[in-house]
Amino acid sequence: MSAEGSTVNGYAGPGDGGGGAAAITTARVGRGPRIALVAGETSGDQLGAGLIAELRQRFPDAEFAGIGGDAMRGAGCQTWFDASELALMGLAEILRHLPRLLKLRRAFRERVLDWRPDVFIGIDAPDFNLGVERWLKQRGIRTMHYVSPSVWAWREKRAEKIGGSADMVLCLFPMEPPIYARHGVDARFVGHPMADAIALDSDRADARTRLALPATAPVLAVLPGSRLGEVGRLGPAFFEAAWQVAERMPGLHIVVPAANARCRQLLDQQIAASALPAARLHVLDGQARDALTAADVVLLASGTATLETMLVKRPMVVGYRVSELTYRIARALKLVKVDRYALPNVLAGRDLAPELIQHDCTPDRLAAAVLRWFQHPGHVPGLQDDYRRLHLQLRQDASARAADAVASLLARPA
C-alpha cells in the first residue's frame, strides 16, 4: 500500500510552533487534511456545518465527507449517506429499521477506513457514532465525539467507555469536562452554538408582530415536547393547566408551536378535547423560538427547549413524565444521579425554574406554578439577570473553539 493510502497525517495546529495548518509533518504533501463527519439529525447537521466553515478557515484545502444533511452539504461536505437515514426516534422505530442501520454502519465505516481520514468526528447521535468511533480508533484513525451524552445526569461511568471510543470529547456545557477528567478522558468545553446564535436581548414586540399577537396581552407558550411519546404523556396535563391559567387571567393568549406534522396532528386532537378558548389559541407549525420570545411565561417539557427559553430570558415552568415502568426501574437501579433536570437549573446549581417531575406533574401544580410568574412580575428581572450570566458563560464562539480542538488533535503524533 502506498504512503498516501496508509499514513495518517499529523498537523501542527495554531500556537504549537509548527506553522499552523500549513505544517504537514508526514508524507501526504500537497493536500489538506481529510476530515470525516457524521451528523444524524438537524441539530447535528447545523453543528457540522458551523464546524466545517471554521475548519475551512484553518485548513483551506481540507476535504470533508461522511453523513450529513443540507447544511453540511452547503458547507462543502460530500455526503455518502443523508442524515435522515439515522434520524429515528423510539425503540419500536429503531428495531424496525435495525437491519438497515447495521448494514449502513458496516458499509459506512469500511468506506471511511478506505478513505483514510486524518480524523473522524461523530456529532451527537451516540448510538451510531460511538460504535463507529471505537471501530475506527482500533484501526489507527483519530476520533472525536462532538456533543457529550448527558453523563452529568445518569450513568457517569459511561464517560470511561466514551473515552474508549473517542480520543477527544467536545462538550457544550462547562460541568461536563470535570466528569471526563475523573475517568482520564480528554474533554473540552467549547460552549453552545445556540448561545452564540441567540441575541443577549430578545425582542418580544418583534416576535409578537411576526405571530400576529396583541402587543400588550398576557401570553403563555405551551410546549409539551418534540416527540410523539412526550406529547402523548404531557399534552393533556399541560393543556388542562393552561385552561386553569386562562380561567384566572382574562385575555390570555396561548401559543403552541408544533415540532413537526405528526406532533401537530396529536396536539390538534388534544386541544380539541380540552376546554381551551379557541379564540385566543394559536397553534403554530414550528416557530418555537418566536413563540418563546413572544411569551411572558413558558410551560414546557424538560429538554433542550429549556435552554432555548433561558437564552431568550423567559420565566418557565418545567414538567416531565416518563412511563411508570421506566420511572420505577430508574429509581430502583439508581440510574439517575441528579436532583435537577432542567438545564438552566443544572447550569446554575440551584432552582431558577420550577420543576414538576413525574407524580408532581399534575394540571393543578403546573397551573399554580405558571400563575406565580404572572402574578409576581417583580421576580422576573432578577431571573433574567441570572439567565444572562448563564448565556454569557455558554457564549464561547463554539464552532471556532471546536475547530481549534480539531486542529490540536490533528497536531498530535499519529
Side-chain angles (χ1 to χ4, degrees):
M1 186 177 290
S2 69
E4 177 170 343
S6 61
T7 303
V8 178
N9 287 352
Y11 292 84
D16 61 8
I24 302 177
T25 62
T26 56
R28 282 188 296 196
V29 178
R31 73 157 180 81
R34 283 179 172 171
I35 300 171
L37 309 95
V38 170
E41 55 187 32
T42 301
S43 59
D45 186 40
Q46 294 293 334
L47 284 176
L51 177 57
I52 290 168
E54 288 292 336
L55 286 168
R56 286 268 186 223
Q57 298 291 321
R58 292 154 180 77
F59 304 101
D61 297 324
E63 300 174 61
F64 301 92
I67 298 176
D70 290 341
M72 287 172 59
R73 281 190 287 273
C77 182
Q78 179 188 2
T79 53
W80 299 330
F81 301 94
D82 191 78
S84 62
E85 298 199 50
L86 303 183
L88 302 176
M89 294 181 184
L91 181 60
E93 187 175 7
I94 291 171
L95 289 175
R96 188 166 63 252
H97 290 272
L98 188 59
R100 178 183 63 80
L101 287 171
L102 292 174
K103 183 179 179 180
L104 185 154
R105 187 176 69 175
R106 285 193 299 269
F108 174 73
R109 69 189 188 185
E110 291 288 353
R111 187 162 184 177
V112 172
L113 190 62
D114 288 343
W115 195 56
R116 207 67 192 177
D118 300 292
V119 63
F120 173 85
I121 305 170
I123 304 172
D124 208 357
D127 292 338
F128 182 89
N129 278 326
L130 290 174
V132 174
E133 289 162 24
R134 180 180 292 269
W135 191 88
L136 292 171
K137 184 177 179 180
Q138 291 169 349
R139 287 155 179 79
I141 304 293
R142 296 182 184 93
T143 58
M144 174 179 284
H145 192 77
Y146 188 6
V147 183
S148 168
S150 300
V151 294
W152 50 269
W154 66 292
R155 289 174 55 204
E156 178 182 317
K157 289 185 178 180
R158 287 182 299 162
E160 184 175 349
K161 186 175 181 180
I162 293 166
S165 295
D167 293 304
M168 185 184 295
V169 180
L170 303 185
C171 302
L172 305 188
F173 300 113
M175 69 281 193
E176 294 172 327
I179 297 172
Y180 284 96
R182 291 199 289 269
H183 297 274
V185 179
D186 183 358
R188 306 187 183 188
F189 168 55
V190 298
H192 203 295
M194 194 185 293
D196 298 325
I198 294 177
L200 288 174
D201 299 300
S202 56
D203 191 333
R204 178 184 279 113
D206 186 52
R208 290 195 176 191
T209 298
R210 286 195 296 274
L211 298 180
L213 291 169
T216 59
V219 175
L220 171 67
V222 179
L223 293 83
S226 59
R227 297 180 174 91
L228 283 176
E230 290 175 330
V231 175
R233 287 190 299 272
L234 298 174
F238 276 32
F239 293 130
E240 169 68 17
W243 174 78
Q244 290 187 28
V245 175
E247 287 290 286
R248 298 280 299 275
M249 297 197 63
L252 178 73
H253 284 253
I254 298 167
V255 182
V256 185
N260 52 55
R262 294 172 69 191
C263 286
R264 170 69 189 254
Q265 185 177 19
L266 180 54
L267 288 167
D268 285 340
Q269 292 171 3
Q270 292 174 338
I271 290 168
S274 75
L276 287 169
R280 296 191 301 277
L281 183 64
H282 312 264
V283 183
L284 311 174
D285 292 314
Q287 296 179 278
R289 188 167 300 171
D290 279 341
L292 296 174
T293 305
D296 296 293
V297 182
V298 180
L299 171 61
L300 75 169
S302 181
T304 304
T306 64
L307 178 69
E308 194 167 4
T309 305
M310 180 197 87
L311 293 172
V312 299
K313 318 297 185 305
R314 298 296 178 261
M316 71 187 91
V317 174
V318 181
Y320 208 72
R321 289 177 184 163
V322 296
S323 73
E324 191 62 24
L325 178 60
T326 299
Y327 179 72
R328 289 180 181 275
I329 290 173
R331 284 178 60 88
L333 298 181
K334 298 181 179 178
L335 295 177
V336 179
K337 303 295 184 182
V338 294
D339 297 321
R340 299 180 177 92
Y341 300 87
L343 281 166
N345 295 345
V346 173
L347 290 166
R350 57 194 179 94
D351 295 332
L352 299 178
E355 296 182 13
L356 297 164
I357 307 299
Q358 204 62 17
H359 303 122
D360 291 329
C361 186
T362 66
D364 291 352
R365 292 186 178 187
L366 293 168
V370 169
L371 281 165
R372 278 194 290 273
W373 284 122
F374 277 115
Q375 293 168 349
H376 300 283
H379 295 167
V380 174
L383 176 78
Q384 291 174 327
D385 288 342
D386 289 329
Y387 284 172
R388 187 181 184 88
R389 283 192 289 271
L390 294 173
H391 191 158
L392 289 169
Q393 184 182 38
L394 297 180
R395 200 176 216 205
Q396 300 290 327
D397 198 358
S399 293
R401 292 189 65 171
D404 288 341
V406 174
S408 72
L409 183 57
L410 287 170
R412 293 180 184 175

